[in-house]
PDB file of all heavy atoms in Angstrom:
ATOM      1  N   PRO A1390       9.240   8.753  -6.156  1.00 98.00           N
ATOM      2  CA  PRO A1390      10.384   8.209  -5.408  1.00 98.00           C
ATOM      3  C   PRO A1390      10.573   8.862  -4.046  1.00 98.00           C
ATOM      4  O   PRO A1390      11.081   8.230  -3.115  1.00 98.00           O
ATOM      5  CB  PRO A1390      11.576   8.488  -6.331  1.00 98.00           C
ATOM      6  CG  PRO A1390      11.138   9.647  -7.177  1.00 98.00           C
ATOM      7  CD  PRO A1390       9.665   9.447  -7.387  1.00 98.00           C
ATOM      8  N   ASP A1391      10.166  10.132  -3.900  1.00 98.00           N
ATOM      9  CA  ASP A1391      10.314  10.821  -2.622  1.00 98.00           C
ATOM     10  C   ASP A1391       9.393  10.214  -1.568  1.00 98.00           C
ATOM     11  O   ASP A1391       9.820   9.933  -0.435  1.00 98.00           O
ATOM     12  CB  ASP A1391      10.047  12.323  -2.770  1.00 98.00           C
ATOM     13  CG  ASP A1391       8.749  12.631  -3.531  1.00 98.00           C
ATOM     14  OD1 ASP A1391       8.153  11.705  -4.137  1.00 98.00           O
ATOM     15  OD2 ASP A1391       8.335  13.815  -3.527  1.00 98.00           O
ATOM     16  N   TYR A1392       8.136   9.975  -1.934  1.00 98.00           N
ATOM     17  CA  TYR A1392       7.198   9.368  -0.979  1.00 98.00           C
ATOM     18  C   TYR A1392       7.614   7.942  -0.643  1.00 98.00           C
ATOM     19  O   TYR A1392       7.533   7.514   0.520  1.00 98.00           O
ATOM     20  CB  TYR A1392       5.776   9.363  -1.547  1.00 98.00           C
ATOM     21  CG  TYR A1392       5.237  10.734  -1.883  1.00 98.00           C
ATOM     22  CD1 TYR A1392       4.431  10.928  -3.002  1.00 98.00           C
ATOM     23  CD2 TYR A1392       5.530  11.839  -1.086  1.00 98.00           C
ATOM     24  CE1 TYR A1392       3.924  12.182  -3.314  1.00 98.00           C
ATOM     25  CE2 TYR A1392       5.035  13.093  -1.399  1.00 98.00           C
ATOM     26  CZ  TYR A1392       4.231  13.257  -2.515  1.00 98.00           C
ATOM     27  OH  TYR A1392       3.739  14.501  -2.827  1.00 98.00           O
ATOM     28  N   LEU A1393       8.054   7.194  -1.647  1.00 98.00           N
ATOM     29  CA  LEU A1393       8.478   5.813  -1.419  1.00 98.00           C
ATOM     30  C   LEU A1393       9.659   5.768  -0.458  1.00 98.00           C
ATOM     31  O   LEU A1393       9.692   4.944   0.473  1.00 98.00           O
ATOM     32  CB  LEU A1393       8.861   5.160  -2.750  1.00 98.00           C
ATOM     33  CG  LEU A1393       9.467   3.759  -2.677  1.00 98.00           C
ATOM     34  CD1 LEU A1393       8.541   2.783  -1.974  1.00 98.00           C
ATOM     35  CD2 LEU A1393       9.803   3.264  -4.086  1.00 98.00           C
ATOM     36  N   ALA A1394      10.630   6.660  -0.652  1.00 98.00           N
ATOM     37  CA  ALA A1394      11.836   6.665   0.193  1.00 98.00           C
ATOM     38  C   ALA A1394      11.499   6.987   1.645  1.00 98.00           C
ATOM     39  O   ALA A1394      11.922   6.275   2.573  1.00 98.00           O
ATOM     40  CB  ALA A1394      12.850   7.672  -0.352  1.00 98.00           C
ATOM     41  N   VAL A1395      10.733   8.036   1.853  1.00 98.00           N
ATOM     42  CA  VAL A1395      10.390   8.439   3.219  1.00 98.00           C
ATOM     43  C   VAL A1395       9.505   7.391   3.885  1.00 98.00           C
ATOM     44  O   VAL A1395       9.705   7.025   5.051  1.00 98.00           O
ATOM     45  CB  VAL A1395       9.697   9.819   3.217  1.00 98.00           C
ATOM     46  CG1 VAL A1395       9.156  10.160   4.608  1.00 98.00           C
ATOM     47  CG2 VAL A1395      10.672  10.896   2.751  1.00 98.00           C
ATOM     48  N   GLY A1396       8.520   6.879   3.154  1.00 96.00           N
ATOM     49  CA  GLY A1396       7.643   5.868   3.721  1.00 96.00           C
ATOM     50  C   GLY A1396       8.380   4.594   4.079  1.00 96.00           C
ATOM     51  O   GLY A1396       8.108   3.977   5.121  1.00 96.00           O
ATOM     52  N   TYR A1397       9.321   4.182   3.228  1.00 94.00           N
ATOM     53  CA  TYR A1397      10.115   2.989   3.523  1.00 94.00           C
ATOM     54  C   TYR A1397      10.890   3.178   4.828  1.00 94.00           C
ATOM     55  O   TYR A1397      10.875   2.309   5.703  1.00 94.00           O
ATOM     56  CB  TYR A1397      11.084   2.706   2.372  1.00 94.00           C
ATOM     57  CG  TYR A1397      11.962   1.505   2.612  1.00 94.00           C
ATOM     58  CD1 TYR A1397      11.586   0.249   2.171  1.00 94.00           C
ATOM     59  CD2 TYR A1397      13.179   1.624   3.284  1.00 94.00           C
ATOM     60  CE1 TYR A1397      12.384  -0.866   2.402  1.00 94.00           C
ATOM     61  CE2 TYR A1397      13.990   0.517   3.519  1.00 94.00           C
ATOM     62  CZ  TYR A1397      13.581  -0.722   3.068  1.00 94.00           C
ATOM     63  OH  TYR A1397      14.376  -1.814   3.307  1.00 94.00           O
ATOM     64  N   LEU A1398      11.555   4.308   4.967  1.00 94.00           N
ATOM     65  CA  LEU A1398      12.360   4.556   6.169  1.00 94.00           C
ATOM     66  C   LEU A1398      11.486   4.622   7.418  1.00 94.00           C
ATOM     67  O   LEU A1398      11.864   4.122   8.484  1.00 94.00           O
ATOM     68  CB  LEU A1398      13.153   5.849   6.002  1.00 94.00           C
ATOM     69  CG  LEU A1398      14.242   5.826   4.930  1.00 94.00           C
ATOM     70  CD1 LEU A1398      14.819   7.228   4.712  1.00 94.00           C
ATOM     71  CD2 LEU A1398      15.357   4.848   5.291  1.00 94.00           C
ATOM     72  N   LEU A1399      10.304   5.226   7.299  1.00 93.00           N
ATOM     73  CA  LEU A1399       9.387   5.289   8.440  1.00 93.00           C
ATOM     74  C   LEU A1399       8.911   3.893   8.833  1.00 93.00           C
ATOM     75  O   LEU A1399       8.909   3.531  10.013  1.00 93.00           O
ATOM     76  CB  LEU A1399       8.185   6.167   8.101  1.00 93.00           C
ATOM     77  CG  LEU A1399       8.408   7.675   8.062  1.00 93.00           C
ATOM     78  CD1 LEU A1399       7.194   8.345   7.425  1.00 93.00           C
ATOM     79  CD2 LEU A1399       8.658   8.233   9.459  1.00 93.00           C
ATOM     80  N   ASN A1400       8.505   3.107   7.846  1.00 91.00           N
ATOM     81  CA  ASN A1400       7.948   1.793   8.135  1.00 91.00           C
ATOM     82  C   ASN A1400       8.999   0.781   8.563  1.00 91.00           C
ATOM     83  O   ASN A1400       8.657  -0.255   9.141  1.00 91.00           O
ATOM     84  CB  ASN A1400       7.164   1.275   6.924  1.00 91.00           C
ATOM     85  CG  ASN A1400       5.785   1.902   6.812  1.00 91.00           C
ATOM     86  OD1 ASN A1400       5.194   2.283   7.809  1.00 91.00           O
ATOM     87  ND2 ASN A1400       5.278   2.018   5.589  1.00 91.00           N
ATOM     88  N   GLN A1401      10.283   1.065   8.298  1.00 88.00           N
ATOM     89  CA  GLN A1401      11.353   0.211   8.804  1.00 88.00           C
ATOM     90  C   GLN A1401      11.890   0.732  10.146  1.00 88.00           C
ATOM     91  O   GLN A1401      12.848   0.182  10.683  1.00 88.00           O
ATOM     92  CB  GLN A1401      12.511   0.146   7.808  1.00 88.00           C
ATOM     93  CG  GLN A1401      12.126  -0.302   6.414  1.00 88.00           C
ATOM     94  CD  GLN A1401      11.514  -1.682   6.386  1.00 88.00           C
ATOM     95  OE1 GLN A1401      11.699  -2.464   7.304  1.00 88.00           O
ATOM     96  NE2 GLN A1401      10.773  -1.986   5.343  1.00 88.00           N
ATOM     97  N   ASN A1402      11.273   1.809  10.672  1.00 86.00           N
ATOM     98  CA  ASN A1402      11.707   2.438  11.930  1.00 86.00           C
ATOM     99  C   ASN A1402      13.127   2.975  11.857  1.00 86.00           C
ATOM    100  O   ASN A1402      13.796   3.129  12.882  1.00 86.00           O
ATOM    101  CB  ASN A1402      11.568   1.458  13.103  1.00 86.00           C
ATOM    102  CG  ASN A1402      10.139   1.057  13.355  1.00 86.00           C
ATOM    103  OD1 ASN A1402       9.248   1.903  13.381  1.00 86.00           O
ATOM    104  ND2 ASN A1402       9.907  -0.235  13.503  1.00 86.00           N
ATOM    105  N   MET A1403      13.604   3.261  10.667  1.00 89.00           N
ATOM    106  CA  MET A1403      14.906   3.909  10.508  1.00 89.00           C
ATOM    107  C   MET A1403      14.776   5.420  10.595  1.00 89.00           C
ATOM    108  O   MET A1403      15.751   6.112  10.876  1.00 89.00           O
ATOM    109  CB  MET A1403      15.526   3.532   9.155  1.00 89.00           C
ATOM    110  CG  MET A1403      15.957   2.098   9.062  1.00 89.00           C
ATOM    111  SD  MET A1403      16.750   1.776   7.484  1.00 89.00           S
ATOM    112  CE  MET A1403      17.288   0.090   7.771  1.00 89.00           C
TER     113      MET A1403
END
Side-chain angles (χ1 to χ4, degrees):
D1391 49 349
Y1392 301 143
L1393 174 57
V1395 172
Y1397 179 92
L1398 293 172
L1399 286 168
N1400 281 331
Q1401 305 300 339
N1402 297 314
M1403 291 183 174

